[in-house]
Amino acid sequence: MRTIYLFILLLCALSGHAQQFDNYFEDKTLRLDYIFAGNSSEQHAFLSEIIALDKWHGRVENLSVTPIQGYGQVKVYDQQTNELIYILPFGSLFQEWLTLEEAKTIDKSFENSFLIPFPKQKVVVQISFYNDQQHEQIVLKHEIDPKDILIRKVFDVKNDYEIIHQSKIKHPIKIALVAEGYTADEMDLFMQYAHKTVEHLFEHQLFKKYADYFEIVAVKTISVDSGISIPSKKQWLNTALQSNFDTFYSERYLTTLHTKLLHNQLENIPYQHIIILANTDFYGGGGILNSYSLTTTKNKEFAPVVVHEFGHSFAGLADEYFYENDVFENAATLGVEPWEKNISSLVDFSSKWKTLVVDETPIPTPHSIHKQVNIGAFEGLPGNGLYIPTLNCRMKANHPKDFCVVCSAAIEEMILFYTTNQKK
């Protein structure tokens, strides 16, 4: 919890010096579409398209700071003064793919879309990746002139949507629940799961505490086919977002590679965060920081999984379960502390949850005493060098009722980051 209070103090200290939203931005959104491409040795980012949307639905405070690093960052600089005026940490499927053996032998490209507030004057946008040593690599810098006539302007709303959870603050955290694999005749079923998603989210302590800080809409994106593509079963379907299981040949990993298509479906709908609800009972899901989370609805584990995946995409929480052959490399890098708040290599444990561990608890903490200690540092997998706070957390398993205190603190920190200086 100490981390939250230190971060709030930092925000207060910066508030007297930070730029005002109206000084640099209009109340509109600029969507930036990129192609990330390359291999494990060489990475590039290419600008694909710039789109202007009618309103800005993101944060209006704390524009030039971030509570988490992410695997990459979008940084926006005022061209005239070179002042950093907006920053967005992110994760990407491309960076996950870079950890696989395949990335050593071939080149691939992946779509990525990011939302930033619409600048009043020319800006310079910088795309950075962080390598396994947490060193920043700038992969692209480009200028944006807001008066550029080739910025595509969007005026229409493509899909019907309903506000299913109303906020009580001026600038709430806006989430879009998006239908995937639901036909026109199945929209009532999708709406049932949309309402269940809201119900399950606010059953968790921190989301319940700040329920008034969220606005949630259900977006009725219609698919031609009912269900979700499962390549390992030779099942390919025509769905609204073209998602599929077997991402990177991992059976349960459910993603969409088509982020431009996803954001096109949401044009001029009030959103900043995305939860995709997939029409299938096949178990799985996926969550990518500041991109989207995707989960199945008809599986019996729908309730815990939809919240788990949102923990990834919203707060940048890491998985606390580990497999020897994981799709995304889960092994500590020697001498480096991971940026995620809920895992540690113990290289700099004091920057993580050390203050929450009682003095008598051994570090590392043996699994054999997990029932005697509330918080410790348990190795996630023998020999992988990554440690987790507890064996009983929503980010580790489906059976716990809530997030552990470490993950809860990270979620609260993120909620306050988005909504600071606002009151109910």
Side-chain angles (χ1 to χ4, degrees):
M1 300 299 287
R2 178 172 174 267
T3 304
I4 291 182
Y5 302 134
L6 290 176
F7 185 71
I8 293 173
L9 289 174
L10 172 63
L11 295 183
C12 292
L14 290 172
S15 62
H17 304 285
Q19 79 282 354
Q20 296 296 313
F21 182 90
D22 293 339
N23 289 349
Y24 291 97
F25 301 108
E26 297 182 34
D27 185 20
K28 298 191 297 183
T29 293
L30 206 59
R31 192 183 103 202
L32 307 177
D33 292 343
Y34 296 97
I35 301 296
F36 292 170
N39 53 50
S40 60
S41 300
E42 186 176 358
Q43 298 88 46
H44 305 277
F46 304 97
L47 180 64
S48 175
E49 189 176 14
I50 305 177
I51 300 98
L53 306 172
D54 63 356
K55 291 282 290 182
W56 172 244
H57 300 289
R59 69 188 192 269
V60 295
E61 302 279 354
N62 309 321
L63 301 176
S64 58
V65 293
T66 175
I68 55 176
Q69 173 191 287
Y71 289 104
Q73 292 182 355
V74 178
K75 295 179 181 178
V76 182
Y77 295 88
D78 178 66
Q79 188 203 53
Q80 186 172 8
T81 64
N82 201 36
E83 180 182 359
L84 178 63
I85 57 176
Y86 189 75
I87 186 170
L88 179 71
F90 64 81
S92 73
L93 281 174
F94 176 63
Q95 289 163 293
E96 294 187 24
W97 175 77
L98 291 176
T99 68
L100 306 181
E101 285 297 313
E102 184 181 61
K104 297 177 181 178
T105 59
I106 65 171
D107 293 345
K108 274 193 174 182
S109 65
F110 293 76
E111 295 179 358
N112 295 269
S113 298
F114 304 108
L115 307 178
I116 68 170
F118 197 98
K120 290 184 174 180
Q121 306 294 334
K122 291 181 180 180
V123 295
V124 174
V125 177
Q126 173 183 300
I127 306 296
S128 297
F129 292 168
Y130 288 88
N131 64 19
D132 59 3
Q133 295 295 319
Q134 307 296 5
H135 296 152
E136 184 178 22
Q137 173 194 5
I138 299 172
V139 293
L140 178 66
K141 268 189 175 183
H142 65 95
E143 179 184 295
I144 295 178
D145 182 351
K147 298 181 178 61
D148 187 341
I149 62 171
L150 295 182
I151 294 176
R152 178 165 68 88
K153 294 177 175 58
V154 176
F155 302 100
D156 298 328
V157 178
K158 292 185 177 181
N159 292 291
D160 292 336
Y161 69 94
E162 294 182 23
I163 299 176
I164 60 174
H165 181 81
Q166 191 71 260
S167 170
K168 294 183 180 179
I169 64 174
K170 184 177 181 181
H171 298 289
I173 299 167
K174 297 188 179 183
I175 304 172
L177 308 181
V178 186
E180 168 65 334
Y182 288 88
T183 65
D185 293 336
E186 295 175 309
M187 278 301 118
D188 287 344
L189 180 60
F190 162 70
M191 289 302 299
Q192 291 177 29
Y193 281 112
H195 285 286
K196 287 180 180 180
T197 299
V198 173
E199 176 186 336
H200 296 319
L201 184 66
F202 294 131
E203 285 175 349
H204 294 72
Q205 181 182 2
L206 260 297
F207 290 116
K208 181 178 180 180
K209 177 180 178 180
Y210 293 102
D212 291 345
Y213 286 46
F214 290 86
E215 177 183 292
I216 303 178
V217 301
V219 185
K220 301 177 183 180
T221 43
I222 297 173
S223 295
V224 174
D225 294 330
S226 176
I228 301 298
S229 297
I230 309 175
S232 58
K233 296 181 179 293
K234 296 181 172 57
Q235 176 176 304
W236 285 100
L237 302 177
N238 185 359
T239 59
L241 308 178
Q242 298 179 26
S243 68
N244 63 270
F245 287 93
D246 298 299
T247 302
F248 304 146
Y249 302 100
S250 179
E251 182 182 43
R252 301 187 311 176
Y253 198 9
L254 173 61
T255 68
T256 176
L257 300 178
H258 306 279
T259 63
K260 291 181 65 174
L261 174 61
L262 168 61
H263 285 270
N264 285 345
Q265 298 278 22
L266 296 175
E267 288 177 347
N268 285 337
I269 289 174
Y271 78 102
Q272 186 75 189
H273 302 277
I274 302 170
I275 298 176
I276 303 169
L277 302 180
N279 183 22
T280 179
D281 61 1
F282 196 77
Y283 181 75
I288 304 167
L289 174 63
N290 283 325
S291 184
Y292 60 80
S293 63
L294 211 170
T295 188
T296 63
T297 50
K298 294 179 178 177
N299 187 274
K300 64 180 181 178
E301 301 292 350
F302 161 62
V305 172
V306 70
V307 181
H308 170 99
E309 300 300 348
F310 190 60
H312 290 312
S313 65
F314 176 71
L317 295 173
D319 280 322
E320 294 177 6
Y321 60 85
F322 303 93
Y323 301 113
E324 290 186 9
N325 297 312
D326 203 345
V327 61
F328 197 2
E329 186 176 331
N330 279 315
T333 301
L334 186 64
V336 176
E337 185 67 43
W339 61 267
E340 297 95 332
K341 297 294 181 72
N342 62 323
I343 58 174
S344 176
S345 62
L346 302 185
V347 170
D348 184 15
F349 191 41
S350 61
S351 70
K352 294 301 177 69
W353 60 89
K354 184 177 181 179
T355 57
L356 297 177
V357 181
V358 299
D359 292 340
E360 296 78 14
T361 301
I363 302 297
T365 311
H367 283 227
S368 59
I369 66 168
H370 76 274
K371 293 183 178 180
Q372 286 100 55
V373 299
N374 184 29
I375 295 295
F378 300 91
E379 191 169 25
L381 188 72
N384 80 335
L386 286 175
Y387 297 83
I388 58 178
T390 176
L391 303 184
N392 189 39
C393 178
R394 171 62 68 242
M395 297 310 297
K396 179 169 177 60
N398 290 334
H399 62 82
K401 292 184 178 181
D402 211 328
F403 295 94
C404 70
V405 295
V406 174
C407 291
S408 294
I411 291 169
E412 184 169 32
E413 181 181 32
M414 192 62 69
I415 293 171
L416 295 176
F417 169 72
Y418 279 109
T419 60
T420 187
N421 297 331
Q422 299 193 67
K423 297 180 180 180
K424 295 183 183 181

